[in-house]
Amino acid sequence: MIRGLLALLLVLMPLMSMAEPGIPALTLTTGEDGGQNYSVTLQILALMTVLTLLPAALMMMTSFTRIIIVLSILRQAMGVQSTPSNQILIGLSLFLTFFIMHPVFDNAYQNGVKPYMDGEIQVLDAAEKASTPFKEFMLAQTRESDIELFASIAGHGTIDSAEDVPFSLLLPAFVTSELKTAFQIGFLIFIPFLIIDLVVASVLMAMGMMMLSPMLISLPFKLMLFVLIDGWALLMGTLASSFYV
């Protein structure tokens, strides 16, 4: 988890680097190898700025969006409005996100964060190496039509290969694709519970019990169905495997 946060932090903060302490707020020095170092005060300013973007990056650049939407739709389909609570859903989504993104976080840490912390590479090189695993992951989950859409809006022109897709286009395309995929999975989850609601409502109408809420009767059956099929394990496994198909 810590490696993942460090990797995300380095991807979002290409202005940080190893430098000697200094008083001036904006001090730029060029090393013998051509690398550029910034003053500590500028590094702290960049760090504080990027920390505010870290939660958004964790949600928008990882598998978190798809997971939390699917879990929310599942709760709505089952008819339990506050169980599990929002805190439980968010916590479950976060830990499942770290489980799914562990290879990406580890790759970014080994190739970008660790060499940078050891002083082997400069910050710009480290940011590029750390962002490569995230870009590969996002490209694998993004539809070509979404990339073409945002490229057309931005007037970017023809994109010959996946390596030529800039982050400015990949980020909105990735989020759009994740939203589409999440709602597709949610639709498939919703169907069985909707059928149970329709059957229960039809039976109550046939018995003339129109004043009795169908949701009150169908809820135990939906819970029983979800438990009998081992729904949580099935859903978690399906979500995790959907990112590596």
Side-chain angles (χ1 to χ4, degrees):
M1 184 183 298
I2 296 177
R3 289 186 177 185
L5 293 176
L6 287 174
L8 279 173
L9 185 63
L10 186 57
V11 170
L12 292 176
M13 190 178 57
L15 295 179
M16 289 189 63
S17 65
M18 305 293 291
E20 296 295 330
I23 300 300
L26 299 174
T27 302
L28 174 64
T29 58
T30 303
E32 297 179 356
D33 57 351
Q36 294 179 337
N37 295 328
Y38 301 87
S39 63
V40 173
T41 51
L42 182 60
Q43 294 180 41
I44 295 175
L45 176 62
L47 175 62
M48 294 298 101
T49 303
V50 171
L51 283 176
T52 61
L53 302 176
L54 193 58
L58 180 61
M59 291 186 293
M60 298 291 102
M61 295 174 59
T62 64
S63 58
F64 181 85
T65 301
R66 183 188 303 185
I67 296 171
I68 190 63
I69 290 177
V70 171
L71 293 180
S72 299
I73 293 177
L74 170 66
R75 186 175 65 178
Q76 184 71 23
M78 294 181 65
V80 284
Q81 301 300 324
S82 58
T83 305
S85 64
N86 291 331
Q87 292 86 348
I88 293 177
L89 289 186
I90 292 175
L92 181 60
S93 301
L94 281 174
F95 282 105
L96 188 58
T97 296
F98 282 114
F99 170 77
I100 294 171
M101 299 294 298
H102 178 265
V104 178
F105 289 154
D106 188 67
N107 194 356
Y109 178 82
Q110 295 296 335
N111 296 332
V113 179
K114 190 174 184 299
Y116 168 71
M117 297 178 67
D118 294 339
E120 298 175 0
I121 57 177
Q122 298 296 328
V123 62
L124 297 180
D125 295 333
E128 181 179 357
K129 292 180 180 297
S131 63
T132 300
F134 288 95
K135 187 174 182 180
E136 293 175 351
F137 171 81
M138 295 165 67
L139 281 171
Q141 311 302 324
T142 306
R143 295 174 174 83
E144 294 183 3
S145 58
D146 293 325
I147 297 178
E148 294 174 356
L149 170 64
F150 286 98
S152 175
I153 294 175
H156 189 274
T158 304
I159 299 177
D160 298 328
S161 62
E163 290 75 13
D164 298 332
V165 179
F167 256 105
S168 59
L169 296 180
L170 182 58
L171 282 174
F174 171 74
V175 174
T176 303
S177 293
E178 286 296 282
L179 290 174
K180 290 180 180 179
T181 304
F183 277 94
Q184 288 175 353
I185 297 175
F187 171 77
L188 296 177
I189 292 175
F190 216 106
I191 293 300
F193 299 108
L194 180 60
I195 293 175
I196 294 178
D197 287 333
L198 292 175
V199 170
V200 172
S202 300
V203 172
L204 292 178
M205 287 289 291
M207 297 176 63
M209 304 174 65
M210 293 175 291
M211 299 301 294
L212 185 60
S213 172
M215 294 294 297
L216 183 63
I217 305 299
S218 63
L219 179 58
F221 290 99
K222 291 189 286 188
L223 292 176
M224 181 180 64
L225 172 65
F226 195 69
V227 171
L228 288 178
I229 65 173
D230 198 8
W232 286 114
L234 184 62
L235 180 63
M236 296 297 104
T238 300
L239 283 174
S241 60
S242 66
F243 290 95
Y244 295 101
V245 175

